[in-house]
Amino acid sequence: MLQVRHLVKYFGGVKAVDGVSFEVRAGECVALIGPNGAGKSTCFACIAGQHRPSGGEILWAGQRIDALAPARRLQRGVARTFQVAQTFEALTVLQNLQLLMSTGHGLPAWNVLDRVSVEAATQLLARVGLQQLAHADVLGLPYGAKKRLELGIALAGLGEGAPADPRGQAPSIARPRLLLLDEPAAGLAETERLELMQLVKSLAVEGVAVLYTEHNMDAVFGVADRVLVLIEGQLAAQGTPDEIARHPEVRSRYLGHSFDAEMP
Ligand code: ADP
Ligand code: MG
């Protein structure tokens, strides 16, 4: 379980995150929503390790992680994607995953990369729906496929699809995993967005704790088990999608009074 307690983050005089507390349990898909500049990305960066919090505590699986480097957090099962697609564009889709899956054994020489973790990387590609594009260069990928690859890369970082180690133990099994997705469906058209969100949701159903930000309400209502609303660095509300859709302050400050969670 992720526990965020009284999280505070200043940038100079700007209080980007101002005393935020919440939890995300294994198997839960939780949306963090709120206006631009509310502090969503800053929260993520504090949890994943790109920013050091100015105050408060972050616990994962019962242990403080807020002073650990991102790589150490990843070893403990905390992975994130970024709002802007971050991939190796000169490599193919499959090679991007092979590269990540091989880093546990040291970075391979480019000429052997194609023989590394082929089966596991191929399985992971299929899981994020990219099997048809395995040998396409990332540079020319359609945007929607890049967003799927980002998700695949975050899963590879978590050891998903990793082969059993020589002693026959699969390291990823029963390991707690937290996936932080900053606008995973940003820029996608509605159909593609909803398909991607179903994929995200399926990861939570498998037991991953998922926390994501999103601006499109169709990717929040109907997907998230729980919604957190951040406004001006503070948690204005949290609850089920239904509770949030009816919350007077959330409606007046963010969703708008005419908001209808039943929209298509
Ligand atoms: P959101 O993701 O909800 O749009 P952010 O977390 O990106 O919001 O930003 C919250 C506030 O913190 C904004 O006022 C933003 O300008 C400020 N901020 C974010 N990152 C930095 C940074 N690296 N340096 C200075 N100010 C920042
Ligand atoms: Mg943001």
Side-chain angles (χ1 to χ4, degrees), residues 35 70-71 80 84 91 94 123 137 161 163 192 228 252:
R80 74 167 291 182
V84 177
L91 300 179
L94 187 64
Q123 275 174 22
D137 285 340
E192 239 183 339
L228 312 170
S252 67

Side-chain angles (χ1 to χ4, degrees), residues 11 16 35-42:
F11 293 109
N36 267 327
K40 304 181 293 296
S41 293
T42 304

Side-chain angles (χ1 to χ4, degrees), residues 4-85:
V4 175
R5 296 181 183 159
H6 313 293
L7 182 65
V8 175
K9 179 64 185 176
Y10 291 102
F11 293 109
V14 178
K15 213 171 193 180
V17 178
D18 186 7
V20 166
S21 301
F22 62 85
E23 296 181 350
V24 182
R25 291 181 289 275
E28 241 190 340
C29 187
V30 176
L32 178 63
I33 65 173
N36 267 327
K40 304 181 293 296
S41 293
T42 304
C43 261
F44 269 52
C46 289
I47 298 169
Q50 285 76 34
H51 288 324
R52 187 78 181 258
S54 312
E57 298 181 348
I58 301 169
L59 291 93
W60 170 240
Q63 295 189 315
R64 288 281 293 268
I65 57 165
D66 43 72
L68 299 180
R72 298 282 310 283
R73 297 185 206 205
L74 187 56
Q75 286 168 353
R76 294 191 185 193
V78 176
R80 74 167 291 182
T81 59
F82 290 84
Q83 208 172 321
V84 177

